[in-house]
Amino acid sequence: MSLWAVAACVVILNLPFGFLRARVERFSKKWFLYIHLPIPFVIALRLISGLGFQLYTFPVMIGAYFFGQFAGSIAYRYVNSDG
């Protein structure tokens, strides 16, 4: 599996966690849980896909992780907006 396909899976995996993170109080237990719960799944995805932990993959994967969280929080604001 290519690096970009795994990164797309990471973004999709993090969307609901970003959505849930936007709903709870900042720095609460649930907030930390929604940030850190996807990490074992991302590690498993890296191992299953054969991507491994080469140094060049880290910027793409970290960017995909944060983009998924950010996009989920934007989706929460869009769904709960008045207009």
Side-chain angles (χ1 to χ4, degrees), residues 39 42 47 57:
I39 292 174
V42 172
L47 293 174
T57 64

Side-chain angles (χ1 to χ4, degrees), residues 76-83:
Y76 175 77
R77 283 188 235 149
Y78 178 75
V79 168
N80 291 319
S81 67
D82 292 334

Side-chain angles (χ1 to χ4, degrees), residues 7 10-11 13-15 17-18 21 32-40 42 58-71:
V10 169
V11 169
L13 173 73
N14 275 292
L15 284 173
F17 290 103
R21 185 178 55 90
F32 282 106
L33 179 69
Y34 294 144
I35 289 175
H36 294 97
L37 191 61
I39 292 174
V42 172
F58 282 101
V60 175
M61 297 301 287
I62 291 171
Y65 186 88
F66 285 115
F67 181 74
Q69 290 272 330
F70 178 72

Side-chain angles (χ1 to χ4, degrees), residues 1-9 45-46 49-51 56-57 60-61:
M1 198 182 249
S2 75
L3 173 63
W4 297 107
V6 175
C9 291
L45 184 63
R46 289 176 73 111
S49 69
L51 189 61
Y56 71 90
T57 64
V60 175
M61 297 301 287

